[in-house]
């Protein structure tokens, strides 16, 4: 997310937990970046599009709200190779 934030207007960081785990210096960098938007307690529930990805849907595990992010507003990347 920190790397992408150098090139993208907004980076949505979908994370399934309430807080980040990892290197403290990286967590600090993520929190300091104005264009990284953490989407905590959430999972990607759908990848939208037929032949190409046009967006994703996420579901918050606590309040069960669904959020849709379309590719027109943001670039979509995944760290998970299964996506």
């Amino acid at each position: 997310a920190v790397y992408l934030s150098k090139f993208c207007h907004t980076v949505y960081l979908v994370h399934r937990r309430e807080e980040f785990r990892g290197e403290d210096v990286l967590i600090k960098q993520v929190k300091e970046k104005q264009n990284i938007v953490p989407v905590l307690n959430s999972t990607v529930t759908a990848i939208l599009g037929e032949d190409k990805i046009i967006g994703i849907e996420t579901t918050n595990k606590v309040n069960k709200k669904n959020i849709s992010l379309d590719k027109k507003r943001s670039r979509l990347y995944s760290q998970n190779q299964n996506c």
Side-chain angles (χ1 to χ4, degrees):
V2 174
Y3 177 75
L4 291 175
S5 70
K6 297 175 187 178
F7 308 104
C8 301
H9 183 263
T10 304
V11 176
Y12 295 95
L13 180 57
V14 180
H15 187 63
R16 62 186 174 163
R17 300 182 189 272
E18 175 64 29
E19 58 188 41
F20 297 114
R21 298 186 311 175
E23 297 292 327
D24 290 338
V25 67
L26 294 176
I27 294 170
K28 182 180 177 185
Q29 288 176 358
V30 166
K31 290 180 179 180
E32 289 176 348
K33 290 285 189 176
Q34 296 296 318
N35 62 335
I36 296 178
V37 179
V39 184
L40 301 176
N41 286 322
S42 298
T43 57
V44 176
T45 52
I47 299 174
L48 308 174
E50 294 292 323
D51 296 326
K52 62 181 181 176
I53 297 174
I54 60 169
I56 61 170
E57 289 183 1
T58 65
T59 300
N60 184 292
K61 297 185 325 182
V62 175
N63 63 20
K64 307 299 183 204
K65 284 188 177 181
N66 293 329
I67 299 172
S68 294
L69 301 172
D70 62 65
K71 195 170 180 179
K72 293 175 187 169
R73 294 187 328 198
S74 59
R75 294 189 185 270
L76 302 174
Y77 296 92
S78 174
Q79 184 178 16
N80 184 346
Q81 295 297 323
N82 296 326
C83 291

